Amino acid sequence: TKEVITIGHNMVITTGKRTYSVQEIMNILNISRTKAYGLCRSGTFKTVKVGRIIRISKPSFDQWLDETN
């Protein structure tokens, strides 16, 4: 899947997703919703809040996951 993002007058085409949902990190880590939201609040990886929705930066999360024992 290709995603097209327009920033000002520049168009950037990326492949794949740039963020995970809280539900996705729950599934990846096999953890509870409470634990997932706790990780998001802890600053362990980059998150962005859009209204009431939290999205987790995929590169930041993936790097954290790769570096975790």
Side-chain angles (χ1 to χ4, degrees):
T1 308
K2 289 188 179 178
E3 179 181 7
V4 178
I5 302 169
T6 304
I7 303 172
H9 297 292
N10 300 319
M11 189 176 355
V12 178
I13 299 175
T14 62
T15 56
K17 295 174 57 146
R18 296 184 65 203
T19 63
Y20 289 122
S21 67
V22 173
Q23 182 67 49
E24 287 173 312
I25 68 164
M26 287 170 53
N27 294 338
I28 292 167
L29 300 174
N30 194 28
I31 59 174
S32 70
R33 182 176 166 184
T34 302
K35 187 70 94 173
Y37 277 103
L39 279 172
C40 291
R41 283 191 303 274
S42 73
T44 302
F45 33 77
K46 294 178 185 176
T47 61
V48 63
K49 193 169 182 181
V50 181
R52 295 181 58 187
I53 299 171
I54 295 175
R55 291 289 184 241
I56 297 95
S57 162
K58 186 177 182 311
S60 175
F61 177 83
D62 291 344
Q63 180 180 0
W64 169 79
L65 188 60
D66 290 341
E67 292 173 356
T68 301
N69 294 336

